[in-house]
Amino acid sequence: MATTAPQIPRRVITTEDDLRDWTASAERETLVGFARDVGDAIIGKVCSNDLASSAASRVLLTLLEKARDLVSEFPPQDAHQRARYGNPSYKDWFDAMSATALGDMLSFVTTAAAPSADPKSLAEELSGYWRDSFGNRNRVDYGTGHEVAFATLCLCARKAGVLDSESDMVALGCAVFPAYLRAVRRIQSAYLLEPAGSHGVWCVDDFHFLPFYWGAAQLQGHPHLKPKSALDPDVVAVYADGYLYLDAVRHVRNTKAKLCSIEEACPILCDISRLAKTWVTARQGLARLWTHEVLDKLPVAQHFLFSAHFDFRPSGQGQAQAQAGGSDGGHQDAAAGKSEWRGGDVTAMPGAETGAAPGARVSLVALVHQLFGEPKAGDSGWAGAGAGATERGGGLDATARAQRWAALESTAAELRASGTTCGANDPGARARMEGAPSGAGAHLLRGPGAAPGPSRNAIPDPSARVATVAPAPTPVALGPEMVTATAPGVDFSLDPGDAGIRLKGWHIHASKLPLADAGELAALQEALGHGFKLPEMIFARNHLTLDCGGGELGDGAPPALRIRLSAKDALWGCALRAGARAHPDPHAPAPALIKLPAAERWSERLRRLAEQHDHVDAETPREDASDWTFSTTYRGTVTRSRAHAADAVASTGEVAEVPARDDSARVDYDLLRRRDPILWHEEVTLFESELDDNGVASLTARVRVMPTAWFVLMRFWLRVDGVLVRLYDTRLFYEFGAPAVVVEYCMREDTFEALEARGMPRAPTAYLDPAPIAERLRLVAKFHETVQVPSAASTAPRALD
């Protein structure tokens, strides 16, 4: 094998002209092709250190663990008075790492049977990339350019014959790169490295890009995980240890989105996960986004290192060195286009799609929507949703934004006019589901006089996909918290557009539609009463429904049991009469009047006005028809077909049922903590209000279906700024084969004064998301109920543990 002359890595891209040469170079194409080949190699694989089968890949794993453990020898200085970014101990760590870099790389390259260069020279070359892979010592920062340095190190090692087997490509993506992420994440968090070139929320991630790109490739063809699954924290918790994309999302949730929702912290990432309908689409879009946002941007590319095995020289520098005799064979091979890896389809520049030249500034929001698909009605993207949305460094074009929202409203109007609903996960798919509002059953807390409305089952589509879940692969830990589990095979079918799932006698489905229009709001106001104040945002036709038995043939017969969560029924729980609930709840406490901090000042002003004007009445208290905080104790609507109701007189139609109090019932959290596959999941928003700019009230429902059980969390979240926060959680759990559905209801709340007394922030902005503080709020009440399931479903064999 011919040897390649050694060359110390150096930076050569300094101007826009250099960048243009780089974007047209064979070496850039080689790097893009190498990234593509790693993605191809790990399709369908689960992250595991066991995949590092060669001696070289195992040595690289050991070196990465050594770099990570070195942090403990240089603890951060002034732990209690740190600056926002950049702990000085990082420089000590970096110096210690650099001191052993040459020896470490020598131990790495000597594992090759016949490297293409002298081992010492090759180790010196790779040590430059190794040092650059862990951030910049002077700036105390880390960014996607340093991530590229590590990828380039692996590329050079492969070119030199150190990582030359096909199994090494799998090891790079599923073992070595996860170990690299563990190392740099510890360094980032310990020394508070500044994100190099980060654009805040207007980037995929502050530090990394390749975990998303390679992670999308890894998940291609997964039987039930889709890009939108990354937005479900339950799915992420189950699968993150085995998959790069979900591991990266988990890391974002635990860091950048720790004190707010991930939609607020990472709108671009959420848009990508929501818009891409398949992992193939996600991978292709992320490949183009990587080249556009990382490889072809001068602020990043100017830090790229080039050497003998990754040789690029801008035209001006190349001519000068050629005259001085500085050219070498590696550069001649690259210029001749003799690169081993070709970029293929992923090298297509976004400039051709966006009308911009390579390297030109393009709105990242617009680019994401072009690469992954424009949001459809009911599926508006976070990044561009609202008049305040901005691109990096400037506002979105107002005309384009107006056109986009006009198109969304037009599509929504067509949907409403046609009377059809959208698939839960594909808003463009028109799945056949219920067209009538909920009303079929009574609110759990409604009085006996509530009249049920019409209802019909969705007609099963014969084209619904039928899938068999094989036993889930056992992932190996990316971290020490890994819990392994397997799942037995189970047959299930998905509704068109993934709007629902059918398995083991249950049909669990959801509807996600745009906000209620004027007609729907008028009908809702008529049903609830004209004095009832409605929330600003109501999704009147959204619902989550769990049907068990009956109606499977589409003959119009109601299911034997139906549990339904809907906005209309939930709002019944907010109705008041003489200051008490209009539909008493025997289990929940009575509503308490909540006053804003300015209430006393308003009352005093009213008393002064009453003294001055006879027509002003300050003595007679106002009687509200509804709770202005929308604090509903709704726990779902339960109905049975009369044929299955114990006390029904007729044999047709439906009757409402109130679940039985059962203090011995419990949700099996041990089963839920297992890493069983999630076959289907969805999140549905029912209503939301900003309380006249005094806080927020919202009601959402999330469901996940596993081979052994299904689980629903319906969460009411209230924050009255300066007064209190309140959390009402309804958990519904059913293990297949059990005799009853368990309903767990938990009420928590705390005043801002009490939170501050316990050392928590008083600012309302600290409570944008209830998840981080849910368990820290004071427990007000907790109880359990049960709903008996039809005998055919309850006697079905349970899955073996």
Side-chain angles (χ1 to χ4, degrees), residues 182-235:
R182 291 196 297 272
V184 294
R185 284 171 181 169
R186 183 172 182 185
I187 295 165
Q188 291 161 10
S189 61
Y191 302 124
L192 300 177
L193 301 192
E194 184 174 3
S198 172
H199 296 279
V201 300
W202 304 112
C203 60
V204 177
D205 180 65
D206 283 343
F207 294 108
H208 297 284
F209 198 106
L210 285 177
F212 300 99
Y213 174 21
W214 284 343
Q218 186 186 16
L219 284 163
Q220 280 184 226
H222 197 282
H224 43 268
L225 290 180
K226 296 178 175 60
K228 65 105 178 179
S229 302
L231 301 179
D232 190 313
D234 293 332
V235 175

Side-chain angles (χ1 to χ4, degrees), residues 7 46 91 110 178 230 277 450 596 630-631 639 659 666 694 725 787:
Q7 184 176 318
V46 179
K91 297 183 179 182
T110 52
K277 299 306 177 185
L596 293 171
F630 304 102
S631 297
T639 58
R666 290 294 182 270
N694 291 301
V725 290
V787 178

Side-chain angles (χ1 to χ4, degrees), residues 364-446:
L364 184 56
V365 173
L367 183 57
V368 165
H369 289 165
Q370 290 189 29
L371 294 178
F372 300 92
E374 281 289 331
K376 297 183 176 63
D379 191 25
S380 58
W382 287 92
T390 59
E391 67 169 291
R392 292 183 349 215
L396 281 172
D397 180 74
T399 302
R401 185 169 60 239
Q403 291 174 348
R404 173 174 174 241
W405 282 99
L408 291 178
E409 290 301 323
S410 175
T411 306
E414 292 176 5
L415 288 172
R416 296 185 183 112
S418 64
T420 59
T421 65
C422 300
N425 301 327
D426 182 2
R430 305 214 175 158
R432 290 195 290 270
M433 300 174 67
E434 286 86 349
S438 168
H443 183 297
L444 280 179
L445 312 177
R446 265 200 255 170

